[in-house]
Amino acid sequence: MGTAVDPRTLQAINAIESLKARYFRSLDTKDWSVFGSVLAGDIDVDTTSVGGDRVRGASNHVAALQTDYGNSVTVHHGHMPEIEITAADTATGTWAVQVQLVRPDGRRWLSSGHDRDTYGIRDGRWVITSMKSTRLQADPL
């Protein structure tokens, strides 16, 4: 028999899964206000392993993605979350991620890999405090 999970832990995991879903949806729909709201003000984002930069700060991350993806179509899918609540107000998560990117000139890419995140409670709600993206494969379509 498995060990019973505390209802607060399940609520936190559910909130974090919804948070990441909003991250992907708002990025793909270019809803930059919602996108910025899921990020900690001091977020640390490392995309160096996928050819990007390391960016600190929510406003810097939003600005970078507006520049990189603002005129492109993106479709992000996050699957198989592994969420661990590490304290009452912190957690870690690993997500299998698939991204389709269509540039304005018609070039297309499909990539698969993982996002490794940390989360924290700020002002009474969960936010993403750090993210490291890796890709196992990236192919032009």
Side-chain angles (χ1 to χ4, degrees):
M1 291 270 197
T3 305
V5 178
D6 180 290
R8 285 173 290 182
T9 299
L10 291 175
Q11 288 173 337
I13 290 170
N14 184 280
I16 291 166
E17 288 175 347
S18 293
L19 173 72
K20 188 69 171 190
R22 274 192 312 283
Y23 175 91
F24 288 138
R25 177 185 50 78
S26 60
L27 173 57
D28 291 341
T29 61
K30 313 305 185 265
D31 188 339
W32 302 116
S33 175
V34 170
F35 183 77
S37 76
V38 304
L39 309 172
D42 60 349
I43 190 170
D44 180 6
V45 180
D46 184 354
T47 59
T48 55
S49 71
V50 297
D53 296 314
R54 186 158 190 178
V55 177
R56 290 185 176 86
S59 60
N60 293 331
H61 183 49
V62 172
L65 289 180
Q66 284 176 314
T67 299
D68 291 345
Y69 295 137
N71 294 320
S72 298
V73 174
T74 58
V75 180
H76 288 76
H77 287 191
H79 306 277
M80 304 182 312
E82 300 173 62
I83 309 295
E84 180 183 352
I85 306 303
T86 54
D89 61 352
T90 61
T92 61
T94 300
W95 296 79
V97 176
Q98 185 176 56
V99 180
Q100 183 175 358
L101 170 66
V102 181
R103 294 289 188 191
D105 65 5
R107 289 179 297 142
R108 297 171 173 258
W109 289 88
L110 181 64
S111 64
S112 299
H114 296 92
D115 281 355
R116 289 173 178 82
D117 302 341
T118 61
Y119 311 96
I121 295 181
R122 306 278 171 85
D123 298 323
R125 63 186 179 79
W126 287 99
V127 291
I128 303 169
T129 56
S130 73
M131 180 183 304
K132 181 177 177 87
S133 296
T134 59
R135 296 296 178 257
L136 301 171
Q137 183 172 337
D139 295 313
L141 296 176

